[in-house]
Amino acid sequence: MTNAEMTILVAEDEESFIEALNRCLTREGFTVRVARDGQEALELFEKLHPDLILLDLMLPKMSGIDVCRAIRTTSQVPIIMVTAKSAEIDTVVGLEVGADDYVTKPYSMRELVARIRAVMRRRQGEEVQASTKEKIIKQGEVFLDPERHEVSVRNKLVKLPLKEFELLELLMNNAGNVLTRDVIIDRIWGAYYSGDTKTLDVHVKRLRSKIETDPSDPKLITTIRGLGYRFEDQKY
Ligand code: CA
């Protein structure tokens, strides 16, 4: 897809930003449409089916968070949230509203364009992946169904929060191979990773407590010291 065929919906109420965005994104070859409040953003989203939405958090009539949530009930269109300060980012991330990425004002246009491209690339990659998999992954007595979002271990259904599910899916898809911490963090958290290096370990620990026979002596997810984690291939 070339930029010219791509429509970006900019939901922004500050004229100075609107002007700058319009100029910059148009120059980059994107088609730009502008919504000046949350309601208009939703209306234009439904009318235009944009390829990406740049969504300001603070909008008149309806907040960016509510707009994002509303869109996510029907669509997985890439959304980049725009916030005024980093404290707001924590709110967005904490609420898990379903944005793909975020930028903080004031941002450079170069950074923004790079983020837009990255989100688009990631999304296209996911689409390719999604059409080729969607079948149940089996490893010994662990079954993971990506489509139904279900995991069963030793014939028992195990409830996993989203991030733990994604982590297990990633590890099982790469069973037998070591995944480095950086790769795992990038794939599961991306830009949302808080920077606290313990987050990954905490998730692994929780996951082990739910799927391992003896979580203190893990046989499924093993730690490769100084490197990362590996889901042990159960076929051997
Ligand atoms: Ca605003």
Side-chain angles (χ1 to χ4, degrees), residues 10 26 29-30 35 64 84 122 128 144 147-148 184 187 233:
V10 172
T26 304
F30 298 107
R122 206 155 65 214
V128 171
L144 184 145
E147 209 168 325
R148 302 175 61 152
I184 297 173
R187 292 284 294 275
D233 200 331

Side-chain angles (χ1 to χ4, degrees), residues 11-14 56-60 105:
E12 173 63 68
D13 60 319
E14 281 168 64
D56 188 30
L57 188 76
M58 303 293 278
L59 286 170
K105 284 176 182 173

Side-chain angles (χ1 to χ4, degrees), residues 197-210:
T197 53
K198 286 274 175 277
T199 305
L200 172 59
D201 307 281
V202 168
H203 279 75
V204 169
K205 198 176 167 194
R206 286 195 200 130
L207 203 46
R208 279 173 173 157
S209 73
K210 292 166 193 169

